[in-house]
């Protein structure tokens, strides 16, 4: 509100004492701005957004009800795996053996949509490594979306440790009902 308007509206009343200092008068003065010529540059035509291709994740074709996941597997580890599978009544041909070093990743949506696998045993590979948001405790079977998951130590570790083999056997009996 300007001082003239205030004087007109409240000329008969004393509301406050208006003390105007020189500094506030200077502050009220409007700065002078030079007008410059504005040069308008031509606006380039907008570049149409190109579609970003999603990276194609190769899908693994699941064939069997049991999936075994390892990072890598040597011949001696494969021999141990054959013994483990024999103990639960399976052969190497009756399971899908996935070596993560050869496949790189497994697509979780593809895994669920194929609806083939009922048992998933991971030897030394946490599911976070393949970007699956499933938290597993070692040697404790867990059912998620109708699939029994089990996380175990790596086969090379199991090969040299009898106590871990016994712990794995107990978890496999609970998981496979043997």
């Amino acid at each position: 509100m300007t001082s003239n308007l205030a004087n007109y509206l409240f000329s008969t009343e004393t509301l406050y004492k208006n003390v105007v200092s020189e500094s506030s008068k200077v502050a009220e003065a409007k700065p002078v701005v030079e007008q410059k010529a504005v040069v308008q540059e031509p606006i380039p035509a907008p570049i149409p957004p190109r579609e970003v291709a999603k990276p194609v994740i190769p899908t693994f074709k699941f064939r069997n009800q049991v999936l075994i996941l390892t990072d890598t597997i040597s011949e001696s580890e494969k021999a141990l795996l054959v013994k483990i599978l024999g103990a639960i009544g399976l052969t190497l041909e009756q399971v899908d053996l996935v070596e993560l070093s050869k496949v790189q990743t497994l697509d979780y949506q593809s895994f669920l949509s194929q609806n083939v696998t009922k048992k998933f045993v991971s030897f030394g590979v946490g599911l976070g490594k393949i970007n699956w948001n499933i938290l597993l405790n070692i040697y404790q079977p867990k059912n998620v979306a109708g699939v029994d998951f089990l996380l175990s130590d790596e086969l090379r570790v199991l090969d040299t440790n009898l106590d871990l083999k016994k712990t794995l056997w107990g978890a496999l009996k609970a998981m496979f009902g043997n």
Side-chain angles (χ1 to χ4, degrees), residues 90-102:
L90 296 172
T91 65
L92 205 53
E93 290 75 32
Q94 293 175 307
V95 300
D96 291 325
L97 177 60
V98 177
E99 289 184 67
L100 195 57
S101 62
K102 293 181 181 175

Side-chain angles (χ1 to χ4, degrees), residues 115-158:
N115 198 24
V116 174
T117 305
K118 301 299 178 209
K119 311 283 185 193
F120 187 112
V121 181
S122 176
F123 288 99
V125 180
L127 298 185
K129 189 171 182 180
I130 57 174
N131 296 322
W132 290 16
N133 194 18
I134 300 173
L135 180 62
L136 298 176
N137 293 323
I138 196 160
Y139 300 114
Q140 294 180 4
K142 181 177 186 178
N143 189 293
V144 177
V147 179
D148 292 327
F149 289 88
L150 178 66
L151 176 63
S152 171
D153 284 304
E154 296 176 18
L155 288 165
R156 63 179 175 80
V157 174
L158 288 168

Side-chain angles (χ1 to χ4, degrees), residues 3 10 13 15 23 27 32 47 62 70 75 78 90 103 110 113 116 130 135-136 140 148 158 168 170:
S3 61
F10 304 109
E13 299 176 15
L15 297 176
S23 63
V32 178
I47 300 171
F62 301 100
T70 65
E75 288 303 316
K78 195 176 275 190
L90 296 172
V103 176
S110 172
S113 66
V116 174
I130 57 174
L135 180 62
L136 298 176
Q140 294 180 4
D148 292 327
L158 288 168
L168 174 63

